[in-house]
Amino acid sequence: MDTRFLGTADLLEVPSVAVVVDVMRAFTVAAWAFAQGAEKIVLAESLEEALALKARHPDWVALKDGPPAPGFDLVNSPGLLRSVDLGGRTVVQKTTAGTVGALAVKEASLVLCAGFVVAEATARLLRTRGADCVTFVVTGEAGRAEEDLACAQYIARRTTGAGTDAAEFPHRAARSRAAAELAEGVRQGVHPDDVALCLEVDRFPFAMVATSEGPLMVLRPLGESG
């Protein structure tokens, strides 16, 4: 498998297959939202679009980075989300890096959103689809986020079946700048368990596939039978 690891700003052409990685915390949060029963996640272009969608669909759940804000129901924290019942709900998510990266590759034939919590399911789907050229979009820190790069490399290794030390990659992520900022309270809208939850490998059995549905980019879970 031919692999590329690029930051969002480095995407000069539309990839055929893209895996958009945001470990801390957008796509760990997305996976938890599905685990808590969410039907789908709409990836918003901006905070204004998220609020407009919420206004048009009052039953939808709006989620953002940072501290709580008027109009938003939740913040981008897996630790806070895990106690929320989202059964059958639609979530609107806008984050600083993850949703931006996914929207940047929305024209790709296959777009997967990933973190460690869905690593094997993501790799399995890539194997099933026979992807021979995959672009991993490293969303954090302009493509330099160690936690996202470690996760992307881990998924790539799992996809090809290469021997992989499962502990090495989350260990790298644990030493990242993002992990330190979350642990030290530099970022807002944080639960003390967020870092640990983001570093759990293969907690969930589904991959997350983003597709265009009308004017919206929509993320849905896809299990082994998909």
Side-chain angles (χ1 to χ4, degrees):
M1 185 177 72
D2 180 25
T3 57
R4 296 185 298 169
F5 302 89
L6 299 174
T8 302
D10 300 319
L11 294 163
L12 301 180
E13 58 187 13
V14 177
S16 57
V17 176
V19 179
V20 188
V21 181
D22 189 328
V23 172
M24 296 184 185
R25 296 163 285 172
F27 297 138
T28 301
V29 165
W32 270 99
F34 291 130
Q36 295 303 105
E39 177 186 349
K40 63 184 179 183
I41 297 174
V42 176
L43 304 177
E45 293 266 7
S46 64
L47 295 175
E48 291 75 18
E49 183 190 26
L51 289 174
L53 288 167
K54 171 73 175 178
R56 291 201 297 273
H57 306 276
D59 58 324
W60 287 12
V61 178
L63 182 156
K64 65 176 282 294
D65 270 338
F72 287 89
D73 306 287
L74 298 169
V75 295
N76 193 45
S77 161
L80 295 171
L81 191 69
R82 62 185 169 175
S83 61
V84 178
D85 180 6
L86 294 172
R89 306 287 294 277
T90 294
V91 175
V92 180
Q93 185 182 33
K94 169 66 179 86
T95 69
T96 306
T99 59
V100 175
L103 289 164
V105 293
K106 62 184 178 181
E107 302 300 330
S109 60
L110 176 63
V111 179
L112 304 180
C113 295
F116 281 110
V117 291
V118 294
E120 172 56 28
T122 303
R124 183 172 59 242
L125 184 56
L126 290 171
R127 292 194 298 268
T128 300
R129 297 291 177 92
D132 55 7
C133 183
V134 180
T135 296
F136 289 87
V137 183
V138 179
T139 61
E141 298 179 36
R144 296 185 298 274
E146 182 64 17
E147 73 281 2
D148 293 341
L149 182 59
C151 182
Q153 292 172 338
Y154 180 60
I155 293 170
R157 293 277 289 274
R158 294 279 283 268
T159 302
T160 59
T164 304
D165 178 359
E168 172 195 346
F169 297 89
H171 184 63
R172 283 169 52 193
R175 301 195 306 270
S176 68
R177 173 182 171 184
E181 289 181 350
L182 289 172
E184 294 166 7
V186 174
R187 302 187 184 187
Q188 295 181 291
V190 177
H191 186 280
D193 293 341
D194 277 357
V195 172
L197 292 173
C198 289
L199 297 178
E200 287 187 317
V201 179
D202 301 336
R203 177 163 187 138
F204 303 117
F206 51 81
M208 299 187 293
V209 183
T211 56
S212 294
E213 297 186 14
L216 302 176
M217 188 73 165
V218 178
L219 189 63
R220 295 181 185 271
L222 187 64
E224 289 187 62
S225 60

